[in-house]
Amino acid sequence: MARRLLGRALAAVSLSVALASVTVKSPGCRRIPAFRNSFSSCWFHLNTNVMSGSNGSKENSHNKARTSPYPGSKVERSQVPNEKVGWLVEWQDYNPVEYTAVSVLAGPRWADPQISESNFSPKFNEKDGHVERKSKNGLYEIENGRPRNPAGRTGLVGRGLLGRWGPNHAADPIITRWKKDSSGNKIMHPVSGKHILQFVAIKRKDCGEWAIPGGMVDPGEKISATLKREFGEEALNSLQKTSAEKREIEEKLHKLFSQDHLLIYKGYVDDPRNTDNAWMETEAVNYHDETGEIMDNLTLEAGDDAGKVKWVDISDKLKLYASHFQFIKLVAEKRDAHWSEDSEADCHGL
């Protein structure tokens, strides 16, 4: 009992510290911590608003992780009302559905064994061999040998489609450029008076939603390598290229990914694949092609998990997968680009 209370206290402290680091400007406009320099990395702590829908309302936080049916199945989650999401709220009758996809149970190299297997002893909250089991948001609680989702109840236990018990780490490269006219001049939005920023978006094959290219970090792989690899595979179809074409793509991507970048977000993601015992975390990083010369010489071509790929104008009209809407908004804020035609909803100055 004492261990359980200690775990809950640690989880509460972790979330409190994360939330305290965010200064809120208004319900529709968030400030983020200052950068170490104008175009270097920063990181953005867990914010329940970031996990919410486009309206940013706290009441709808941790929302997509409670939707049914579970992706790729007919499994319906147990319903979790907003007021019962948090683990600190007592709910003796909570009876979540158990589900782990057959593709995960088959034991692919990217997936953990079942907790019940005698030869499986994962080291949660630490580096476990080459597998990173630390959360980007601090310590998470272990209950009956299973890690508990730090954002709260989802109505489903097991791993669903996720391979790892606990945090499943991903990386999302946000590649941007300024929208320009035929003469090469930046296009300014007539209402906001700000230049229009574009980013490379893919249409996911699994759900049909538009998203930032990205994918899972392989065991032992550096985040920077994941970002470059995933963008090449999903937005440039590098897996299907010849050796010579791959070398050319690699050279251009090396130039792009060697530039100064913005670490837009680092932490928990409100993802429809999340369960009580497995969840998505990511690092979303913005690489900006200021002149457009690098990306203008690369042909976008959907590959791997992407069905389509294209440049998309950034604005508050976007409808994107998981928490990607919030990531793109943060990019627009940091680049001082157009976001909304509503002047009160647009952020000015950071």
mmCIF file of all heavy atoms in Angstrom, residues 156-193:
data_model
loop_
_atom_site.group_PDB
_atom_site.id
_atom_site.type_symbol
_atom_site.label_atom_id
_atom_site.label_comp_id
_atom_site.label_asym_id
_atom_site.label_seq_id
_atom_site.Cartn_x
_atom_site.Cartn_y
_atom_site.Cartn_z
ATOM 1 N N LEU A 156 -8.815 1.044 -21.592
ATOM 2 C CA LEU A 156 -8.284 -0.162 -22.226
ATOM 3 C C LEU A 156 -6.924 -0.488 -21.627
ATOM 4 O O LEU A 156 -6.072 0.395 -21.484
ATOM 5 C CB LEU A 156 -8.179 0.051 -23.735
ATOM 6 C CG LEU A 156 -7.867 -1.170 -24.606
ATOM 7 C CD1 LEU A 156 -8.601 -1.059 -25.947
ATOM 8 C CD2 LEU A 156 -6.364 -1.271 -24.866
ATOM 9 N N VAL A 157 -6.710 -1.756 -21.260
ATOM 10 C CA VAL A 157 -5.413 -2.196 -20.755
ATOM 11 C C VAL A 157 -4.760 -3.119 -21.776
ATOM 12 O O VAL A 157 -5.402 -3.551 -22.735
ATOM 13 C CB VAL A 157 -5.540 -2.906 -19.392
ATOM 14 C CG1 VAL A 157 -6.024 -1.936 -18.330
ATOM 15 C CG2 VAL A 157 -6.480 -4.106 -19.482
ATOM 16 N N GLY A 158 -3.498 -3.451 -21.543
ATOM 17 C CA GLY A 158 -2.734 -4.187 -22.549
ATOM 18 C C GLY A 158 -1.912 -3.191 -23.352
ATOM 19 O O GLY A 158 -1.637 -2.086 -22.898
ATOM 20 N N ARG A 159 -1.544 -3.580 -24.565
ATOM 21 C CA ARG A 159 -0.712 -2.689 -25.389
ATOM 22 C C ARG A 159 -1.380 -2.242 -26.681
ATOM 23 O O ARG A 159 -0.830 -1.386 -27.384
ATOM 24 C CB ARG A 159 0.612 -3.385 -25.720
ATOM 25 C CG ARG A 159 1.602 -3.423 -24.571
ATOM 26 C CD ARG A 159 2.824 -4.228 -24.942
ATOM 27 N NE ARG A 159 2.523 -5.660 -25.014
ATOM 28 C CZ ARG A 159 3.299 -6.553 -25.612
ATOM 29 N NH1 ARG A 159 4.400 -6.164 -26.237
ATOM 30 N NH2 ARG A 159 2.981 -7.827 -25.613
ATOM 31 N N GLY A 160 -2.529 -2.781 -27.022
ATOM 32 C CA GLY A 160 -3.146 -2.392 -28.280
ATOM 33 C C GLY A 160 -2.205 -2.675 -29.441
ATOM 34 O O GLY A 160 -1.710 -3.778 -29.599
ATOM 35 N N LEU A 161 -1.912 -1.650 -30.230
ATOM 36 C CA LEU A 161 -1.009 -1.770 -31.365
ATOM 37 C C LEU A 161 0.431 -1.392 -31.028
ATOM 38 O O LEU A 161 1.301 -1.476 -31.888
ATOM 39 C CB LEU A 161 -1.490 -0.871 -32.505
ATOM 40 C CG LEU A 161 -2.739 -1.333 -33.265
ATOM 41 C CD1 LEU A 161 -3.263 -0.201 -34.149
ATOM 42 C CD2 LEU A 161 -2.434 -2.569 -34.111
ATOM 43 N N LEU A 162 0.677 -0.986 -29.792
ATOM 44 C CA LEU A 162 2.003 -0.525 -29.415
ATOM 45 C C LEU A 162 2.885 -1.684 -28.957
ATOM 46 O O LEU A 162 2.430 -2.595 -28.276
ATOM 47 C CB LEU A 162 1.895 0.528 -28.307
ATOM 48 C CG LEU A 162 1.109 1.786 -28.706
ATOM 49 C CD1 LEU A 162 1.015 2.747 -27.541
ATOM 50 C CD2 LEU A 162 1.751 2.473 -29.915
ATOM 51 N N GLY A 163 4.142 -1.612 -29.326
ATOM 52 C CA GLY A 163 5.049 -2.720 -29.046
ATOM 53 C C GLY A 163 5.580 -2.765 -27.630
ATOM 54 O O GLY A 163 5.749 -3.842 -27.054
ATOM 55 N N ARG A 164 5.837 -1.597 -27.049
ATOM 56 C CA ARG A 164 6.477 -1.546 -25.739
ATOM 57 C C ARG A 164 5.474 -1.321 -24.612
ATOM 58 O O ARG A 164 4.532 -0.550 -24.754
ATOM 59 C CB ARG A 164 7.512 -0.407 -25.704
ATOM 60 C CG ARG A 164 8.573 -0.475 -26.780
ATOM 61 C CD ARG A 164 9.487 -1.658 -26.620
ATOM 62 N NE ARG A 164 10.498 -1.709 -27.685
ATOM 63 C CZ ARG A 164 11.272 -2.756 -27.912
ATOM 64 N NH1 ARG A 164 11.183 -3.832 -27.154
ATOM 65 N NH2 ARG A 164 12.153 -2.739 -28.904
ATOM 66 N N TRP A 165 5.713 -1.992 -23.499
ATOM 67 C CA TRP A 165 5.023 -1.640 -22.270
ATOM 68 C C TRP A 165 5.593 -0.302 -21.801
ATOM 69 O O TRP A 165 6.800 -0.083 -21.841
ATOM 70 C CB TRP A 165 5.260 -2.690 -21.189
ATOM 71 C CG TRP A 165 4.679 -4.037 -21.498
ATOM 72 C CD1 TRP A 165 5.328 -5.118 -22.041
ATOM 73 C CD2 TRP A 165 3.329 -4.458 -21.283
ATOM 74 N NE1 TRP A 165 4.465 -6.175 -22.181
ATOM 75 C CE2 TRP A 165 3.217 -5.806 -21.712
ATOM 76 C CE3 TRP A 165 2.188 -3.837 -20.770
ATOM 77 C CZ2 TRP A 165 2.037 -6.533 -21.650
ATOM 78 C CZ3 TRP A 165 1.007 -4.559 -20.692
ATOM 79 C CH2 TRP A 165 0.935 -5.888 -21.129
ATOM 80 N N GLY A 166 4.728 0.610 -21.395
ATOM 81 C CA GLY A 166 5.195 1.929 -20.981
ATOM 82 C C GLY A 166 5.359 2.855 -22.167
ATOM 83 O O GLY A 166 4.606 2.781 -23.150
ATOM 84 N N PRO A 167 6.361 3.745 -22.138
ATOM 85 C CA PRO A 167 6.522 4.714 -23.231
ATOM 86 C C PRO A 167 7.022 4.075 -24.513
ATOM 87 O O PRO A 167 7.918 3.238 -24.499
ATOM 88 C CB PRO A 167 7.551 5.697 -22.661
ATOM 89 C CG PRO A 167 8.319 4.899 -21.654
ATOM 90 C CD PRO A 167 7.334 3.953 -21.050
ATOM 91 N N ASN A 168 6.406 4.465 -25.624
ATOM 92 C CA ASN A 168 6.839 4.075 -26.964
ATOM 93 C C ASN A 168 7.345 5.354 -27.634
ATOM 94 O O ASN A 168 6.558 6.264 -27.910
ATOM 95 C CB ASN A 168 5.685 3.473 -27.760
ATOM 96 C CG ASN A 168 5.304 2.084 -27.284
ATOM 97 O OD1 ASN A 168 5.601 1.091 -27.921
ATOM 98 N ND2 ASN A 168 4.644 2.014 -26.130
ATOM 99 N N HIS A 169 8.644 5.442 -27.854
ATOM 100 C CA HIS A 169 9.257 6.700 -28.286
ATOM 101 C C HIS A 169 9.260 6.866 -29.803
ATOM 102 O O HIS A 169 9.635 5.951 -30.540
ATOM 103 C CB HIS A 169 10.680 6.796 -27.752
ATOM 104 C CG HIS A 169 10.744 6.859 -26.254
ATOM 105 N ND1 HIS A 169 10.340 7.966 -25.545
ATOM 106 C CD2 HIS A 169 11.141 5.941 -25.332
ATOM 107 C CE1 HIS A 169 10.502 7.740 -24.253
ATOM 108 N NE2 HIS A 169 10.973 6.519 -24.091
ATOM 109 N N ALA A 170 8.846 8.049 -30.230
ATOM 110 C CA ALA A 170 8.795 8.386 -31.656
ATOM 111 C C ALA A 170 9.506 9.711 -31.899
ATOM 112 O O ALA A 170 9.911 10.406 -30.960
ATOM 113 C CB ALA A 170 7.352 8.469 -32.134
ATOM 114 N N ALA A 171 9.668 10.061 -33.169
ATOM 115 C CA ALA A 171 10.267 11.337 -33.560
ATOM 116 C C ALA A 171 9.503 11.885 -34.762
ATOM 117 O O ALA A 171 9.194 11.140 -35.695
ATOM 118 C CB ALA A 171 11.742 11.151 -33.905
ATOM 119 N N ASP A 172 9.182 13.177 -34.722
ATOM 120 C CA ASP A 172 8.382 13.816 -35.774
ATOM 121 C C ASP A 172 9.125 15.004 -36.376
ATOM 122 O O ASP A 172 9.212 16.067 -35.750
ATOM 123 C CB ASP A 172 7.045 14.294 -35.208
ATOM 124 C CG ASP A 172 6.180 13.151 -34.713
ATOM 125 O OD1 ASP A 172 6.079 12.150 -35.436
ATOM 126 O OD2 ASP A 172 5.611 13.258 -33.606
ATOM 127 N N PRO A 173 9.679 14.862 -37.588
ATOM 128 C CA PRO A 173 10.359 15.990 -38.239
ATOM 129 C C PRO A 173 9.362 16.923 -38.914
ATOM 130 O O PRO A 173 8.583 16.505 -39.776
ATOM 131 C CB PRO A 173 11.239 15.292 -39.279
ATOM 132 C CG PRO A 173 10.489 14.034 -39.619
ATOM 133 C CD PRO A 173 9.766 13.618 -38.374
ATOM 134 N N ILE A 174 9.371 18.177 -38.524
ATOM 135 C CA ILE A 174 8.484 19.179 -39.123
ATOM 136 C C ILE A 174 9.332 20.026 -40.073
ATOM 137 O O ILE A 174 10.105 20.887 -39.643
ATOM 138 C CB ILE A 174 7.829 20.066 -38.053
ATOM 139 C CG1 ILE A 174 7.125 19.200 -36.996
ATOM 140 C CG2 ILE A 174 6.836 21.041 -38.692
ATOM 141 C CD1 ILE A 174 6.606 19.986 -35.808
ATOM 142 N N ILE A 175 9.207 19.770 -41.362
ATOM 143 C CA ILE A 175 10.005 20.463 -42.380
ATOM 144 C C ILE A 175 9.178 21.623 -42.934
ATOM 145 O O ILE A 175 8.073 21.418 -43.437
ATOM 146 C CB ILE A 175 10.406 19.510 -43.521
ATOM 147 C CG1 ILE A 175 11.042 18.234 -42.952
ATOM 148 C CG2 ILE A 175 11.333 20.218 -44.492
ATOM 149 C CD1 ILE A 175 12.268 18.474 -42.087
ATOM 150 N N THR A 176 9.715 22.832 -42.854
ATOM 151 C CA THR A 176 8.960 24.017 -43.275
ATOM 152 C C THR A 176 9.734 24.867 -44.281
ATOM 153 O O THR A 176 10.961 24.803 -44.385
ATOM 154 C CB THR A 176 8.595 24.904 -42.064
ATOM 155 O OG1 THR A 176 9.797 25.266 -41.360
ATOM 156 C CG2 THR A 176 7.651 24.180 -41.129
ATOM 157 N N ARG A 177 8.959 25.678 -45.002
ATOM 158 C CA ARG A 177 9.501 26.677 -45.913
ATOM 159 C C ARG A 177 8.470 27.795 -46.006
ATOM 160 O O ARG A 177 7.300 27.622 -45.628
ATOM 161 C CB ARG A 177 9.758 26.089 -47.306
ATOM 162 C CG ARG A 177 8.467 25.781 -48.067
ATOM 163 C CD ARG A 177 8.730 25.219 -49.454
ATOM 164 N NE ARG A 177 7.463 25.023 -50.179
ATOM 165 C CZ ARG A 177 7.376 24.437 -51.364
ATOM 166 N NH1 ARG A 177 8.463 23.979 -51.957
ATOM 167 N NH2 ARG A 177 6.203 24.307 -51.973
ATOM 168 N N TRP A 178 8.879 28.951 -46.500
ATOM 169 C CA TRP A 178 7.936 30.049 -46.717
ATOM 170 C C TRP A 178 7.209 29.850 -48.044
ATOM 171 O O TRP A 178 7.818 29.422 -49.024
ATOM 172 C CB TRP A 178 8.665 31.398 -46.730
ATOM 173 C CG TRP A 178 9.282 31.742 -45.415
ATOM 174 C CD1 TRP A 178 10.615 31.799 -45.132
ATOM 175 C CD2 TRP A 178 8.598 32.057 -44.200
ATOM 176 N NE1 TRP A 178 10.810 32.124 -43.816
ATOM 177 C CE2 TRP A 178 9.592 32.297 -43.216
ATOM 178 C CE3 TRP A 178 7.256 32.173 -43.849
ATOM 179 C CZ2 TRP A 178 9.278 32.637 -41.903
ATOM 180 C CZ3 TRP A 178 6.936 32.505 -42.535
ATOM 181 C CH2 TRP A 178 7.933 32.731 -41.581
ATOM 182 N N LYS A 179 5.927 30.145 -48.066
ATOM 183 C CA LYS A 179 5.174 30.097 -49.313
ATOM 184 C C LYS A 179 5.573 31.311 -50.154
ATOM 185 O O LYS A 179 5.603 32.439 -49.660
ATOM 186 C CB LYS A 179 3.673 30.120 -49.028
ATOM 187 C CG LYS A 179 2.814 29.895 -50.262
ATOM 188 C CD LYS A 179 1.337 29.823 -49.894
ATOM 189 C CE LYS A 179 0.489 29.495 -51.103
ATOM 190 N NZ LYS A 179 -0.956 29.370 -50.752
ATOM 191 N N LYS A 180 5.880 31.084 -51.433
ATOM 192 C CA LYS A 180 6.358 32.164 -52.283
ATOM 193 C C LYS A 180 5.549 32.250 -53.582
ATOM 194 O O LYS A 180 4.953 31.260 -54.018
ATOM 195 C CB LYS A 180 7.846 31.974 -52.595
ATOM 196 C CG LYS A 180 8.737 32.028 -51.361
ATOM 197 C CD LYS A 180 10.204 31.831 -51.720
ATOM 198 C CE LYS A 180 11.088 31.898 -50.478
ATOM 199 N NZ LYS A 180 12.521 31.705 -50.792
ATOM 200 N N ASP A 181 5.569 33.432 -54.186
ATOM 201 C CA ASP A 181 4.892 33.605 -55.469
ATOM 202 C C ASP A 181 5.839 33.217 -56.601
ATOM 203 O O ASP A 181 6.974 32.774 -56.363
ATOM 204 C CB ASP A 181 4.375 35.037 -55.631
ATOM 205 C CG ASP A 181 5.482 36.090 -55.563
ATOM 206 O OD1 ASP A 181 6.663 35.734 -55.819
ATOM 207 O OD2 ASP A 181 5.195 37.253 -55.253
ATOM 208 N N SER A 182 5.394 33.375 -57.835
ATOM 209 C CA SER A 182 6.181 32.958 -58.996
ATOM 210 C C SER A 182 7.489 33.740 -59.137
ATOM 211 O O SER A 182 8.420 33.300 -59.821
ATOM 212 C CB SER A 182 5.353 33.114 -60.278
ATOM 213 O OG SER A 182 4.900 34.458 -60.425
ATOM 214 N N SER A 183 7.574 34.893 -58.469
ATOM 215 C CA SER A 183 8.796 35.709 -58.525
ATOM 216 C C SER A 183 9.742 35.406 -57.377
ATOM 217 O O SER A 183 10.814 36.016 -57.262
ATOM 218 C CB SER A 183 8.431 37.201 -58.508
ATOM 219 O OG SER A 183 7.618 37.535 -59.628
ATOM 220 N N GLY A 184 9.339 34.479 -56.505
ATOM 221 C CA GLY A 184 10.194 34.103 -55.394
ATOM 222 C C GLY A 184 10.020 34.956 -54.157
ATOM 223 O O GLY A 184 10.835 34.879 -53.225
ATOM 224 N N ASN A 185 8.971 35.781 -54.125
ATOM 225 C CA ASN A 185 8.718 36.628 -52.958
ATOM 226 C C ASN A 185 7.797 35.920 -51.962
ATOM 227 O O ASN A 185 6.869 35.217 -52.362
ATOM 228 C CB ASN A 185 8.072 37.950 -53.392
ATOM 229 C CG ASN A 185 8.954 38.737 -54.342
ATOM 230 O OD1 ASN A 185 10.150 38.917 -54.088
ATOM 231 N ND2 ASN A 185 8.375 39.198 -55.450
ATOM 232 N N LYS A 186 8.055 36.119 -50.679
ATOM 233 C CA LYS A 186 7.206 35.522 -49.657
ATOM 234 C C LYS A 186 5.786 36.072 -49.761
ATOM 235 O O LYS A 186 5.585 37.268 -49.975
ATOM 236 C CB LYS A 186 7.755 35.827 -48.256
ATOM 237 C CG LYS A 186 9.097 35.203 -47.946
ATOM 238 C CD LYS A 186 9.526 35.585 -46.531
ATOM 239 C CE LYS A 186 10.908 35.070 -46.207
ATOM 240 N NZ LYS A 186 11.341 35.503 -44.840
ATOM 241 N N ILE A 187 4.823 35.170 -49.610
ATOM 242 C CA ILE A 187 3.414 35.565 -49.684
ATOM 243 C C ILE A 187 2.909 35.913 -48.289
ATOM 244 O O ILE A 187 3.064 35.128 -47.348
ATOM 245 C CB ILE A 187 2.562 34.437 -50.298
ATOM 246 C CG1 ILE A 187 3.003 34.187 -51.738
ATOM 247 C CG2 ILE A 187 1.085 34.783 -50.229
ATOM 248 C CD1 ILE A 187 2.269 33.038 -52.407
ATOM 249 N N MET A 188 2.301 37.086 -48.171
ATOM 250 C CA MET A 188 1.778 37.550 -46.899
ATOM 251 C C MET A 188 0.266 37.327 -46.848
ATOM 252 O O MET A 188 -0.442 37.543 -47.843
ATOM 253 C CB MET A 188 2.093 39.036 -46.714
ATOM 254 C CG MET A 188 1.695 39.614 -45.363
ATOM 255 S SD MET A 188 2.193 41.354 -45.220
ATOM 256 C CE MET A 188 3.993 41.188 -45.206
ATOM 257 N N HIS A 189 -0.237 36.876 -45.701
ATOM 258 C CA HIS A 189 -1.673 36.684 -45.572
ATOM 259 C C HIS A 189 -2.362 38.040 -45.497
ATOM 260 O O HIS A 189 -1.930 38.925 -44.728
ATOM 261 C CB HIS A 189 -1.995 35.861 -44.332
ATOM 262 C CG HIS A 189 -3.400 35.357 -44.314
ATOM 263 N ND1 HIS A 189 -4.457 36.126 -43.844
ATOM 264 C CD2 HIS A 189 -3.943 34.175 -44.720
ATOM 265 C CE1 HIS A 189 -5.571 35.439 -43.965
ATOM 266 N NE2 HIS A 189 -5.291 34.257 -44.490
ATOM 267 N N PRO A 190 -3.434 38.254 -46.268
ATOM 268 C CA PRO A 190 -4.065 39.580 -46.339
ATOM 269 C C PRO A 190 -4.735 40.021 -45.038
ATOM 270 O O PRO A 190 -4.933 41.225 -44.830
ATOM 271 C CB PRO A 190 -5.112 39.410 -47.450
ATOM 272 C CG PRO A 190 -5.388 37.939 -47.490
ATOM 273 C CD PRO A 190 -4.078 37.289 -47.176
ATOM 274 N N VAL A 191 -5.087 39.094 -44.168
ATOM 275 C CA VAL A 191 -5.764 39.465 -42.920
ATOM 276 C C VAL A 191 -4.781 39.633 -41.766
ATOM 277 O O VAL A 191 -4.748 40.668 -41.106
ATOM 278 C CB VAL A 191 -6.840 38.417 -42.547
ATOM 279 C CG1 VAL A 191 -7.476 38.768 -41.195
ATOM 280 C CG2 VAL A 191 -7.904 38.346 -43.628
ATOM 281 N N SER A 192 -3.968 38.607 -41.525
ATOM 282 C CA SER A 192 -3.041 38.672 -40.388
ATOM 283 C C SER A 192 -1.822 39.536 -40.666
ATOM 284 O O SER A 192 -1.175 40.034 -39.742
ATOM 285 C CB SER A 192 -2.582 37.265 -40.005
ATOM 286 O OG SER A 192 -1.739 36.718 -41.016
ATOM 287 N N GLY A 193 -1.480 39.706 -41.961
ATOM 288 C CA GLY A 193 -0.308 40.489 -42.307
ATOM 289 C C GLY A 193 0.995 39.761 -42.064
ATOM 290 O O GLY A 193 2.070 40.371 -42.079
#
